[in-house]
Amino acid sequence: MNKKLIKTVSLALIASMGFIMAGCSGETAETAEGGFTTVTAGTLTMATNAYFPPYEYYEGNEIVGIDAEIAQAVADKLGLELVIEDVEFDSIIAGVQSGMYDIGCAGMTVTEERMQSVNFTTTYATGIQSIIVLEGSDITDLDSLIESGCMVGVQTGTTGDIYMTDEVGEDRMDRYNKGNDAVLALLNGVVGAVVIDNQPAQAFVAANDGLTILETPYTIEDYAMCVSKDNEELLAAINEALAELQADGTIDAIIETYIPSEG
Ligand code: ARG
């Protein structure tokens, strides 16, 4: 091999290496400083369903709430711009899995079944299922709801949906894409009760006359963000940010703004 040829070959090799490297980072995601990738470079794309006060809801055209603020604080730590997409709740996990969104952040409960599809960050809040009924309803607890034969309103694909389908069967389920619409169905007598997480339940009851909340025997659920199983680096970076925000009191302060503790 003469010298010229060697030089040409090695140049081509370097060029193709560069090409392959560019191909890696350019294909689906961009590598940011922390070694993680996001769907769009410099941006943290969050999927939520913004009808879940006080975790996410509209104030004018803006989506605000506990999740929006915690995600903003995480994005700031990661040096990313937060973009929030309002989608149907039961499309969030599939969207995160397929690489449409970086995270799902939607008062989402960590469940064994969901963990088959996505990774969850550390927990930053908790919830419990509540039953909303009309004031003076004969339904006074879960057992009387089950015995009543009434239709049950839920938000599609939520834990409330999963639990109640188990309790009363498919035929008595009335599913809505927004929690608000389930509450409207209750006010209009279409369903006899709505089963939803306690904090949105309180917000809906406060916003509408004639509703009351019943407790359920269900246990506390942990809320966390979900991240694609293919993005361990982003999961680690978010967990680190969450730990810092937990340690310096930011998360508590955000929650306290929206859910003031008594006293
Ligand atoms: N915690 C429940 C679940 O994970 C309900 C969440 C609904 N969230 C929302 N943003 N609409 O299934």
Side-chain angles (χ1 to χ4, degrees):
M1 217 186 265
N2 67 33
K3 262 193 180 160
K4 198 174 168 215
L5 189 60
I6 292 171
K7 202 174 168 191
T8 318
V9 168
S10 53
L11 272 178
L13 222 123
I14 293 165
S16 70
M17 271 168 63
F19 179 74
I20 292 165
M21 276 157 66
C24 283
S25 60
E27 242 166 46
T28 53
E30 301 292 333
T31 306
E33 259 174 47
F36 54 80
T37 59
T38 57
V39 176
T40 307
T43 301
L44 185 68
T45 308
M46 153 180 162
T48 195
N49 173 264
Y51 299 89
F52 198 70
Y55 286 92
E56 42 266 336
Y57 58 99
Y58 281 92
E59 224 169 64
N61 289 327
E62 201 194 344
I63 297 172
V64 298
I66 294 170
D67 285 335
E69 286 205 26
I70 293 178
Q72 181 64 61
V74 167
D76 288 347
K77 287 239 178 242
L78 268 46
L80 300 171
E81 186 202 337
L82 180 70
V83 171
I84 303 180
E85 305 242 11
D86 181 18
V87 302
E88 282 174 12
F89 181 76
D90 68 340
S91 73
I92 295 175
I93 289 185
V96 166
Q97 242 183 326
S98 68
M100 270 170 85
Y101 319 116
D102 295 309
I103 57 168
C105 183
M108 188 179 279
T109 305
V110 179
T111 71
E112 289 287 328
E113 205 199 333
R114 290 172 180 168
M115 280 167 70
Q116 309 291 311
S117 314
V118 283
N119 282 334
F120 280 98
T121 64
T122 41
T123 298
Y124 59 83
T126 57
I128 187 165
Q129 296 302 306
S130 297
I131 303 170
I132 312 176
V133 292
L134 295 179
E135 267 170 14
S137 169
D138 290 342
I139 298 167
T140 53
D141 56 13
L142 180 65
D143 286 339
S144 59
L145 169 56
I146 294 170
E147 281 154 28
S148 71
C150 282
M151 293 297 289
V152 180
V154 293
Q155 186 181 21
T156 311
T158 57
T159 42
D161 182 0
I162 297 161
Y163 294 151
M164 291 315 294
T165 305
D166 214 39
E167 301 280 9
V168 302
E170 194 59 41
D171 292 350
R172 282 179 57 195
M173 297 303 291
D174 217 344
R175 301 191 174 91
Y176 297 86
N177 283 327
K178 299 173 185 164
N180 305 38
D181 290 341
V183 172
L184 215 62
L186 174 63
L187 289 164
N188 292 331
V190 177
V191 300
V194 168
V195 176
I196 197 160
D197 304 46
N198 58 338
Q199 288 302 332
Q202 284 181 30
F204 292 139
V205 169
N208 296 280
D209 284 340
L211 299 178
T212 182
I213 299 180
L214 309 174
E215 278 169 20
T216 66
Y218 298 118
T219 51
I220 292 177
E221 299 177 14
D222 288 329
Y223 292 168
M225 301 178 188
C226 65
V227 183
S228 164
K229 281 190 185 279
D230 296 333
N231 207 343
E232 299 274 357
E233 296 82 6
L234 181 63
L235 180 75
I238 292 176
N239 278 338
E240 205 180 307
L242 284 173
E244 287 170 18
L245 295 165
Q246 199 73 258
D248 72 7
T250 306
I251 291 180
D252 284 346
I254 291 171
I255 294 175
E256 180 70 27
T257 311
Y258 289 91
I259 311 172
S261 49
E262 285 149 49

